[in-house]
Amino acid sequence: MTLQATDKFATKAIHAGEHIDSHGSVIEPISLSTTFKQSAPAQPIGTYEYSRSQNPNRENLENAIASLENGKYGLAFSSGSATTAIILQSLPQGSHAISIGDVYGGTHRYFTKVANAHGVDTTFTNNLLEDLPSLVKENTKLVWIESPTNPTLKVTDIQAVSDKIKSLNKDILLVVDNTFLSPYLSNPLNFGADIVVHSATKYINGHSDVVLGVLATNNKAVYERLQFLQNAVGAIPSPFDAWLTHRGLKTLHLRVRQAALNATKIAEFLASNENVIAVNYPGLPTHPNYEIVKKQHRDALGGGMISFRIKGGAEAAAKFSSTTRLFTLAESLGGIESLLEVPAVMTHGGIPKEAREATGVFDDLVRLSVGIEDGDDLLDDVKQALAAAAN
């Protein structure tokens, strides 16, 4: 099937990247072969030679990701962290990067403990738009954004950052981690990003049974450099993981919308509860950057992620997270099931306390990944856990 420019998201989610094989299979088969026959030396019978370089399932997924992010090119990797690593490894030795301070703990770890070992220095800032001109150096090659951020759900005006970078007349790539929203709720390439990345382990796959990362770009030179590294480093997903992720992608719009509707209901309750100090949720009109949310997010939806500070400190956070019935205490996010965690001692435990608290990650912060169970059941679970934590 050939998609048309007028096809909407749901149609693209179902059909982008699909391939009808010689048997007419409606759902693509899993191609586990590591190598492919050649008719003569250096003359492959088809498109593929060796599965590290390319595989039918990975290529189909990459094409689907590019389509849903409104990009020309897509790449899939063995994890979201591998995606981050390949992008940073593509920078020249001695480069400088700028990142928002409130990032996923694994991203912070890579910037500070791995990228610096091969000559990439990173400056973190909690006020990117204001600080950017003063932070840019002659060797600055990359600006890294999460929007919304993990775990405090800050929202960045991507277009404003892109415009500011362009005004500096510097060859600087703008990378946006879109994991918390997925391609259904936001498309950063539309707002001036050069690369959009996802931990596809989360919403894109959506079933908590795959570890995988993806990116999309419209820049051919960037794509070719990253594709070279994907093959040279070998940071690729298995055909089965690519197939599972592509299958999950087909219901992305249904899952993410329902998760966002459930999360909105819970966030509204938390915002009015006396045992809650503060709520971070982009879908609330009280969010500091709600006007940007209305511009960057489909239907101003806030997504399925919430974080909130609970009265009673770390002890209350631990009690709340250990008392829920439907929310499972576990790291990760974006699956059909609801999860919760305490970032200060879990996903962000490796960040020094001073740096962590400077971004709003306090010991009393709880992060919810709201799934697609019945919204009223989830709300009742939050209510009873809050009551238990208050006693």
Side-chain angles (χ1 to χ4, degrees), residues 125-203:
T125 174
N126 293 320
N127 194 344
L128 181 62
L129 263 176
E130 184 177 318
D131 294 346
L132 185 61
S134 63
L135 295 178
V136 169
K137 305 176 181 179
E138 284 300 316
N139 62 335
T140 301
K141 297 296 182 183
L142 180 145
V143 172
W144 188 281
I145 294 173
E146 282 181 16
S147 185
T149 58
N150 181 6
T152 60
L153 285 300
K154 297 181 181 73
V155 174
T156 298
D157 189 333
I158 298 168
Q159 187 67 63
V161 174
S162 175
D163 291 343
K164 187 155 287 190
I165 291 172
K166 289 179 172 61
S167 72
L168 299 172
N169 294 316
K170 299 282 187 179
D171 185 21
I172 299 173
L173 292 174
L174 175 58
V175 181
V176 177
D177 186 336
N178 195 32
T179 297
F180 266 32
L181 293 181
S182 86
Y184 177 67
L185 290 187
S186 186
N187 299 120
L189 298 180
N190 292 356
F191 302 104
D194 297 294
I195 304 172
V196 55
V197 303
H198 294 266
S199 171
T201 308
K202 314 307 194 290
Y203 284 106

Side-chain angles (χ1 to χ4, degrees), residues 55 184 241 243 338:
N55 166 275
Y184 177 67
D241 284 351
W243 184 89
S338 294

Side-chain angles (χ1 to χ4, degrees), residues 83-332:
T83 310
T84 300
I86 292 297
I87 292 171
L88 291 173
Q89 195 160 349
S90 73
L91 302 179
Q93 192 168 14
S95 293
H96 172 246
I98 299 169
S99 171
I100 56 170
D102 184 16
V103 289
Y104 165 55
T107 302
H108 188 278
R109 179 176 61 238
Y110 196 90
F111 275 126
T112 58
K113 296 185 178 181
V114 183
N116 62 336
H118 57 83
V120 176
D121 179 52
T122 305
T123 301
F124 295 94
T125 174
N126 293 320
N127 194 344
L128 181 62
L129 263 176
E130 184 177 318
D131 294 346
L132 185 61
S134 63
L135 295 178
V136 169
K137 305 176 181 179
E138 284 300 316
N139 62 335
T140 301
K141 297 296 182 183
L142 180 145
V143 172
W144 188 281
I145 294 173
E146 282 181 16
S147 185
T149 58
N150 181 6
T152 60
L153 285 300
K154 297 181 181 73
V155 174
T156 298
D157 189 333
I158 298 168
Q159 187 67 63
V161 174
S162 175
D163 291 343
K164 187 155 287 190
I165 291 172
K166 289 179 172 61
S167 72
L168 299 172
N169 294 316
K170 299 282 187 179
D171 185 21
I172 299 173
L173 292 174
L174 175 58
V175 181
V176 177
D177 186 336
N178 195 32
T179 297
F180 266 32
L181 293 181
S182 86
Y184 177 67
L185 290 187
S186 186
N187 299 120
L189 298 180
N190 292 356
F191 302 104
D194 297 294
I195 304 172
V196 55
V197 303
H198 294 266
S199 171
T201 308
K202 314 307 194 290
Y203 284 106
I204 286 176
N205 174 60
H207 293 79
S208 300
D209 54 9
V210 167
V211 174
L212 194 143
V214 295
L215 66 80
T217 183
N218 283 313
N219 186 315
K220 185 178 181 180
V222 167
Y223 165 72
E224 290 176 345
R225 172 63 176 159
L226 296 176
Q227 185 185 44
F228 169 82
L229 289 171
Q230 178 199 47
N231 181 53
V233 174
I236 58 165
S238 73
F240 186 47
D241 284 351
W243 184 89
L244 280 173
T245 303
H246 195 181
R247 183 182 67 168
L249 186 66
K250 294 176 184 294
T251 58
L252 179 66
H253 51 295
L254 303 175
R255 293 184 284 102
V256 171
R257 176 169 283 275
Q258 187 58 51
L261 295 175
N262 286 347
T264 300
K265 182 179 296 188
I266 293 170
E268 289 172 346
F269 164 75
L270 291 170
S272 64
N273 189 275
E274 61 181 9
N275 294 315
V276 173
I277 298 170
V279 178
N280 305 311
Y281 184 63
L284 293 177
T286 53
H287 190 281
N289 283 334
Y290 188 64
E291 290 303 312
I292 300 171
V293 171
K294 291 195 291 185
K295 179 177 72 171
Q296 289 182 178
H297 297 199
R298 183 189 298 269
D299 301 332
L301 289 170
M305 300 301 299
I306 305 169
S307 66
F308 67 96
R309 296 184 63 190
I310 188 171
K311 288 182 179 178
E315 183 179 351
K319 191 169 184 180
F320 174 90
S321 59
S322 302
T323 312
T324 54
R325 181 177 68 90
L326 297 176
F327 282 85
T328 300
L329 178 58
E331 296 187 5
S332 199

